[in-house]
Amino acid sequence: MKARLKRHIVLVGMMGAGKTAIGTELARRLHVPFTDSDAEIEAAAAMTIPEIFARDGEAFFRDRETQVLARLLGGAPGVISTGGGAWMRAENRELIAAHGLSVWLNCDLDTLWHRVRQRSNRPLLQTADPKGTLAALLEKRNPVYALAEMNFPARQGDTIETATSRLIAAIRATEPELLEAR
Ligand code: S3P
């Protein structure tokens, strides 16, 4: 379906929730641009996220994240996937609310852990007990993610394709005018 978006669709949620994978597929199906705030931060800094955290610290990263989000949200409407911590900053939530529909990809701990455990690209999980860290982050963040306009719970066994189909149907049910056919 070729869509003209009235505003951005902004995916929020924990690391491992599938924001980049589902966002890429959603944008492909709707024929709209896809951007990933983490990738944009890395491109602008010419460094990876672990390198940015190691050299400049988390506070620096969070400021870059807000700048990148503001830039992406000011562009032509598309699908934007955000880093897991982006939604935690009130300023970012306000920016997103002003320009887009926020969608929480709501995923349980075991699914998230299964997806992130093999990878070393998340500096926040470089702890002695990464699963415990992930669980603590999830518990702290879930009430904030719940402030998103849409709550989209992951379903066990969903592929990226089926999750994306369900998401398109859910967006259409919530806000039919957002996806205008072109
Ligand atoms: C973070 C999530 C990461 C990345 C950074 C911090 C977080 O993005 O922005 O490592 O605070 O949850 P993903 O959610 O894409 O892994």
Side-chain angles (χ1 to χ4, degrees), residues 15 19 38 49 53 61-62 65 83-85 122-124 141:
M15 20 191 164
K19 300 176 301 271
D38 283 340
I49 287 174
F53 268 71
F61 171 80
R62 296 297 173 200
E65 188 169 52
R122 269 102 176 186
L124 295 182
R141 289 177 172 183

Side-chain angles (χ1 to χ4, degrees), residues 70-153:
R71 173 169 64 75
L72 298 179
L73 288 161
V79 176
I80 300 174
S81 107
T82 62
W87 185 252
M88 296 304 114
R89 204 184 244 205
E91 186 184 350
N92 297 345
R93 293 197 294 277
E94 282 159 24
L95 271 170
I96 293 168
H99 300 278
L101 168 73
S102 49
V103 180
W104 172 26
L105 299 191
N106 179 0
C107 224
D108 63 84
L109 176 64
D110 286 337
T111 307
L112 296 172
W113 175 240
H114 179 73
R115 293 187 187 150
V116 301
R117 61 188 299 177
Q118 309 291 4
R119 311 204 41 192
S120 59
N121 61 342
R122 269 102 176 186
L124 295 182
L125 299 183
Q126 303 307 304
T127 65
D129 172 20
K131 189 174 183 189
T133 305
L134 187 70
L137 271 178
L138 184 67
E139 197 176 309
K140 193 170 109 195
R141 289 177 172 183
N142 270 355
V144 189
Y145 290 135
L147 300 172
E149 277 188 74
M150 264 182 73
N151 174 359
F152 183 73

Side-chain angles (χ1 to χ4, degrees), residues 153-171:
R155 210 177 268 169
Q156 286 287 335
D158 255 5
T159 61
I160 290 163
E161 289 71 26
T162 48
T164 306
S165 300
R166 278 200 304 117
L167 179 55
I168 292 174
I171 293 172

